[in-house]
Amino acid sequence: MAAVVRKRISEADAIIRPPAAFGRAKALSGVRVYDVGQGDAIAVLDQGGVPVLQIDYGGRQGSPFRKKKPSDVDVSMPVASDTCVMLTHWDEDHWSSAPKGDAARKAEWLVPRQVTSPRAVRFSAGLARAACVPETRVGRTYAFRAANGDTLLFQKIRHSAVSPAQDEDCNRSGVALALVRGVGSDGQVILLPGDASFGWVPLYRRLHASGRSLTGLVAFHHGAGTHWTRSTRALLRDWRHTSGSDCQVMFSCSSDNGYGHPQPDLYSELMNISGCTTFSLRAAGRKSADILFR
C-alpha cells in the first residue's frame, strides 16, 4: 500500500484578535449547531441570536448540500463579512461545506497549522484571508469577549505522538473551544471540542476546577466511542450541571455512517447523576438547534 502523503498548511502566523462582529455583541447567548451530516459547523450567537463567529464549516458524508446552489449553503449557515471562520482542525468533515458556498470562503479564517491532506492544503491556498495558530502557541489560552464579559476561550492543543502518515491525526493537534458566562458557582460553560477528547485539553480541566456548571456540549468526534481517556470520563462524570436543568449533549453526524457514530449511551451513563439530555440533529430531522445559557 502506498504511503499517505501529508502536506503542511502554510499561511502566515495569526495576529489573534476577535472578529469585528464581537464589537457589537453585548452578550453571548450560546451556540447554534447546524446539521451538515458527518462533520461540524457551529455559530457563536450574540444576545439576539445573531452569529458573531463561525466554528468549522464541514459536512461530508450525508451532507444536505449536495446538488445545492451556493446560495443555499450561504442562507443555511450564514457568515457575515465582519465575522470569521475558526477551524478546530483540518479533517475534511470540518471544512468541506465551504467550497460549496461563497460566503465562508470570502470570510477571514483562523486555523491551526498542521500537517494534513493535500485536499485541505489546496483549499487553504484558495482562501483570500487566512492565518495560522502556530505550534509555538500550544497550551496558550486566548479569549474573545463580549461587552458584558461573556467569553469565547480557545486553546491550541499539543501534537499527538501518532505519525501524520497514519490516517489523519489533525484532531489531536487542533484547537478546542469553550463558551463561558460568569464565574465560580454562578458561572456556566458550553464545551466545543471539535474532535479532541477532553483529556487533551488543559483548558477544560481548568474550567472544571473553577466551579462553573456545565450547560451543554457538542460531543467530541461526533459522539464516537474512541479516544475516551480516563480524564475525559472523570470530567463528564464529575462536572456539575446547571441548577434545575439537564446538560444538553448534541451529536453532529450523519445517519447510518460507517464510523458507528454516535454512541450517546457513553454520555448518558456518565452524566445521569445530574441529568443528561442527548440530541442528534439528523435523527430529529432538524436543520439546526441551539445550546443556550440558562
Side-chain angles (χ1 to χ4, degrees):
M1 182 180 294
V4 178
V5 177
R6 299 294 176 201
K7 295 181 180 295
R8 184 178 174 86
I9 298 295
S10 59
E11 275 76 19
D13 288 357
I15 299 174
I16 296 176
R17 60 182 184 273
F22 258 74
R24 70 166 185 258
K26 297 177 181 177
L28 303 178
S29 60
V31 298
R32 178 163 298 142
V33 184
Y34 299 105
D35 173 24
V36 291
Q38 188 70 19
D40 273 1
I42 302 164
V44 177
L45 306 176
D46 70 8
Q47 69 284 352
V50 176
V52 292
L53 182 140
Q54 179 71 31
I55 300 168
D56 290 339
Y57 210 83
R60 195 165 182 225
Q61 183 177 345
S63 170
F65 302 124
R66 289 197 177 117
K67 299 182 181 179
K68 297 285 188 180
K69 297 181 295 185
S71 58
D72 295 327
V73 183
D74 296 343
V75 169
S76 297
M77 299 190 296
V79 179
S81 59
D82 62 348
T83 64
C84 79
V85 179
M86 284 192 64
L87 202 64
T88 58
H89 63 290
W90 277 102
D91 282 354
E92 194 163 355
D93 57 346
H94 289 255
W95 58 264
S96 57
S97 288
K100 298 178 175 69
D102 292 322
R105 285 187 294 109
K106 295 177 180 177
E108 182 178 358
W109 284 61
L110 179 61
V111 305
R113 173 165 288 120
Q114 298 179 314
V115 176
T116 185
S117 70
R119 284 193 304 273
V121 175
R122 284 195 296 270
F123 168 72
S124 73
L127 293 172
R129 295 178 291 158
C132 286
V133 181
E135 297 90 331
T136 55
R137 311 289 176 88
V138 168
R140 190 180 303 181
T141 300
Y142 294 90
F144 294 169
R145 288 187 175 85
N148 73 336
D150 292 345
T151 305
L152 177 72
L153 298 173
F154 63 95
Q155 184 177 71
K156 177 81 162 64
I157 59 177
R158 65 177 176 81
H159 194 275
S160 161
V162 177
S163 166
Q166 297 177 11
D167 300 316
E168 292 199 25
D169 73 336
C170 290
N171 53 4
R172 301 182 69 180
S173 60
V175 174
L177 303 98
L179 209 63
V180 177
R181 167 172 287 180
V183 297
S185 59
D186 294 326
Q188 300 179 49
V189 177
I190 299 171
L191 299 180
L192 310 168
D195 281 8
S197 170
F198 298 168
W200 302 333
V201 188
L203 168 63
Y204 290 176
R205 296 195 291 272
R206 293 202 296 273
L207 288 172
H208 174 264
S210 74
R212 295 175 174 87
S213 58
L214 187 59
T215 295
L217 60 94
V218 178
F220 76 89
H221 211 171
H222 320 291
T226 53
H227 306 312
W228 277 74
T229 64
R230 181 179 300 176
S231 58
T232 291
R233 293 179 182 275
L235 284 174
L236 291 182
R237 183 174 56 245
D238 300 337
W239 210 320
R240 182 176 61 87
H241 300 167
T242 304
S243 178
S245 61
D246 288 351
C247 175
Q248 187 172 8
V249 180
M250 200 167 294
F251 302 94
S252 180
C253 57
S254 59
S255 300
D256 302 321
N257 64 79
Y259 306 99
H261 304 337
Q263 296 188 23
D265 290 348
L266 289 170
Y267 289 84
S268 296
E269 290 169 5
L270 284 168
M271 303 172 71
N272 63 3
I273 296 174
S274 300
C276 170
T277 299
T278 58
F279 179 61
S280 174
L281 284 169
R282 181 56 59 96
R286 298 279 296 276
K287 293 183 178 180
S288 67
D290 296 348
I291 303 175
L292 302 175
F293 289 129
R294 310 302 202 257

